[in-house]
Amino acid sequence: MSGFDETLLEEAEETVRVRFVVNGRKVACEVAPRETLVDCLRNELELTGTHAGCEMGACGACLVQLDGRAVHSCLMFAVQADGAKIETIEGLTESGVIADLQAEFHRRNALQCGFCTPGMLVNAHELLSLVAQPSREEIRDALSGNYCRCTGYEAIVDAIDAVAKARSGSGGAI
């Protein structure tokens, strides 16, 4: 093997230690420098609620909250998130902050196969954190980065709208 080939092999085997606070728990992982955050969450931490869909940031299945903002974890290397606070769908569920959204998604059949649902819920949670009572157009705009093949979106918009109204006390029935 030439020196060039050995160098490439050594670089391919190199790992970096990263530390995060994931769902309120301090964790450390050894990752390849080019390992994506979604792969780290799923493979190293076994948090499989975050889905790897298109791997291009177009479908929204990989959304997580990073330092309070929804990000596409397929577009980030895990090393870029070193030191960050990450909330996955599992953490948002365990904390109860999206319980009303989950219940309304279920009640309105705003989920079918479920593949897009974690990303939709992360996105809806961020939207409702930023805008207490978004219009239906604002909800649709916020969901424009989430792709769903099953529902046709109307039930999802209805569910988010109902939760926003219920949270603000303006007549949404949950």
Side-chain angles (χ1 to χ4, degrees), residues 38-62:
V38 69
D39 288 337
C40 177
L41 293 170
R42 291 181 60 80
N43 301 332
E44 308 299 325
L45 301 177
E46 299 181 358
L47 295 167
T48 57
T50 303
H51 295 146
C54 68
E55 297 186 23
M56 297 184 308
C59 74
C62 69

Side-chain angles (χ1 to χ4, degrees), residues 75-145:
L75 295 180
M76 284 190 80
F77 295 123
V79 296
Q80 291 176 289
D82 188 37
K85 179 183 174 203
I86 301 167
E87 291 289 330
T88 67
I89 192 67
E90 292 92 343
L92 295 171
T93 297
E94 289 169 14
S95 70
V97 297
I98 61 169
D100 54 350
L101 280 166
Q102 289 172 308
E104 197 63 16
F105 267 57
H106 183 264
R107 191 174 87 70
R108 292 180 180 270
N109 199 28
L111 52 102
Q112 289 181 24
C113 81
F115 190 80
C116 71
T117 306
M120 292 281 187
L121 290 167
V122 169
N123 213 353
H125 173 63
E126 180 178 55
L127 172 64
L128 297 180
S129 297
L130 298 172
V131 182
Q133 199 167 349
S135 68
R136 292 179 69 81
E137 186 58 37
E138 289 172 310
I139 294 168
R140 285 187 189 94
D141 186 54
L143 295 178
S144 66

Side-chain angles (χ1 to χ4, degrees), residues 136-157:
R136 292 179 69 81
E137 186 58 37
E138 289 172 310
I139 294 168
R140 285 187 189 94
D141 186 54
L143 295 178
S144 66
N146 292 81
Y147 187 68
C148 177
R149 293 179 177 210
C150 304
T151 65
Y153 300 95
E154 207 57 33
I156 296 168
V157 173

